[in-house]
C-alpha cells in the first residue's frame, strides 16, 4: 500500500492478527498499533474480521484488555441496530453473493411477528423468506446465519448433507447456532418469583 503523503514522517504501525477468543466460529481479530495514536482505542468490522486500533505504547496485557472491551462494545452496538425489511433484503442479496455465488435469489425477505417457535422460514416455490421479529436486537452474525440458513433452502429444500455443506461456507455457523440454542435454553429456565429484597 503506498504511503500517505500527509503522514510520511510517522512511524509505521504494527499490525497483528490473532485467533478469536470465543472459538473457531468467531471472526479473526486484527490489532493495529500506531505511534501517532496516543490514548484512544477504536474498533470496527472489516468484512469477516474485527480491527482494533490501539496506541503503539500499550503493553500486551493492556492490548488484550482493550480488545475484549472493544469486542463487547461492538456487540452491544450491533445488538441495538434493527434492520428494516429493505435492509434485510439487501443483506440477503449480499450474503447470497458472498457465500452462494449469488445463486440464492429470494423474491422477498421480511420480518414477521407470527413466528414464535421458529427463527425463520422459507417457501422455495415462492422464493419468500421470513425472519422472526425475535431476532431483532440479536448480534448481526446471528441474523446473518438465519438469513443464510433460509437462503440455502432456496437451493436445497431439506436439511440433508448437501444443505449443511452449503452452510459450512459461513465461518460463524457454529457460533450462531450455539447462541440461538442458548436463547432457547434460557427461555425454558424456570422463572423465580420476584422478592422484596431487590
Amino acid at each position: 500500500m503506498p504511503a500517505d503523503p500527509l503522514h510520511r514522517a510517522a512511524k509505521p504501525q504494527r499490525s497483528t492478527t490473532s485467533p478469536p477468543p470465543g472459538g473457531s466460529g468467531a471472526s479473526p481479530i486484527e490489532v493495529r498499533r500506531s505511534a501517532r495514536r496516543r490514548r484512544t482505542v477504536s474498533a470496527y468490522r472489516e468484512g469477516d474480521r474485527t480491527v482494533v486500533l490501539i496506541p503503539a505504547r500499550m503493553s500486551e496485557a493492556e492490548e488484550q484488555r482493550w480488545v475484549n472491551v472493544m469486542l463487547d462494545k461492538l456487540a452491544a452496538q450491533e445488538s441495538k441496530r434493527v434492520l428494516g425489511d429493505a435492509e434485510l433484503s439487501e443483506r440477503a442479496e449480499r450474503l447470497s453473493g458472498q457465500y452462494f455465488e449469488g445463486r440464492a435469489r429470494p423474491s422477498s425477505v421480511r420480518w414477521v411477528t407470527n413466528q414464535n417457535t421458529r427463527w425463520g422460514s422459507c417457501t422455495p416455490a415462492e422464493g419468500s423468506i421470513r425472519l422472526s421479529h425475535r431476532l431483532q436486537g440479536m448480534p448481526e452474525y446471528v441474523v446473518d446465519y438465519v438469513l443464510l440458513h433460509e437462503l440455502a433452502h432456496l437451493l436445497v429444500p431439506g436439511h440433508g448433507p448437501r444443505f449443511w455443506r452449503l452452510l459450512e461456507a459461513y465461518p460463524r455457523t457454529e457460533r450462531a447456532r450455539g447462541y440461538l440454542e442458548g436463547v432457547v435454553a434460557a427461555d425454558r429456565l424456570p422463572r423465580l418469583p420476584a422478592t422484596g429484597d431487590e
Side-chain angles (χ1 to χ4, degrees):
M1 182 167 87
D4 180 351
L6 297 175
H7 301 104
R8 278 189 198 134
K11 289 182 184 175
Q13 61 184 13
R14 184 171 65 87
S15 176
T16 59
T17 302
S18 59
S24 60
S27 65
I29 299 157
E30 182 178 340
V31 177
R32 295 180 186 165
R33 290 176 173 263
S34 171
R36 288 185 24 232
R37 187 175 282 268
R38 297 286 176 221
R39 281 181 284 204
T40 61
V41 177
S42 61
Y44 59 92
R45 305 281 191 210
E46 187 176 84
D48 215 22
R49 78 177 48 238
T50 302
V51 177
V52 181
L53 307 171
I54 65 171
R57 63 174 176 72
M58 270 193 184
S59 69
E60 294 295 320
E62 288 176 308
E63 174 184 315
Q64 190 54 55
R65 183 176 72 81
W66 276 105
V67 164
N68 289 332
V69 166
M70 298 313 289
L71 288 175
D72 289 345
K73 279 188 174 186
L74 279 176
Q77 288 169 357
E78 289 171 353
S79 70
K80 289 177 186 165
R81 191 166 159 244
V82 176
L83 303 172
D85 287 350
E87 292 172 301
L88 205 57
S89 289
E90 289 169 15
R91 193 173 199 99
E93 185 178 335
R94 181 181 59 77
L95 288 167
S96 175
Q98 187 174 356
Y99 295 102
F100 303 146
E101 299 169 347
R103 293 179 295 132
R105 295 187 185 107
S107 58
S108 68
V109 183
R110 62 191 172 92
W111 295 108
V112 293
T113 57
N114 62 351
Q115 288 189 156
N116 293 316
T117 58
R118 293 187 289 182
W119 297 114
S121 61
C122 173
T123 307
E126 298 173 5
S128 61
I129 291 175
R130 296 157 305 280
L131 296 191
S132 171
H133 71 287
R134 296 178 305 139
L135 288 164
Q136 292 174 336
M138 289 189 188
E140 289 185 1
Y141 75 90
V142 176
V143 176
D144 284 353
Y145 164 73
V146 177
L147 262 176
L148 278 165
H149 184 107
E150 302 310 330
L151 285 165
H153 279 309
L154 293 176
L155 303 173
V156 180
H159 287 104
R162 254 181 78 226
F163 174 84
W164 293 111
R165 273 196 301 277
L166 281 173
L167 285 178
E168 285 174 3
Y170 184 55
R172 295 176 139 196
T173 290
E174 288 307 312
R175 185 176 181 197
R177 285 172 56 102
Y179 185 100
L180 293 171
E181 287 169 6
V183 170
V184 170
D187 284 346
R188 291 181 182 151
L189 290 174
R191 304 279 182 232
L192 297 175
T195 64
D197 297 339
E198 293 178 25

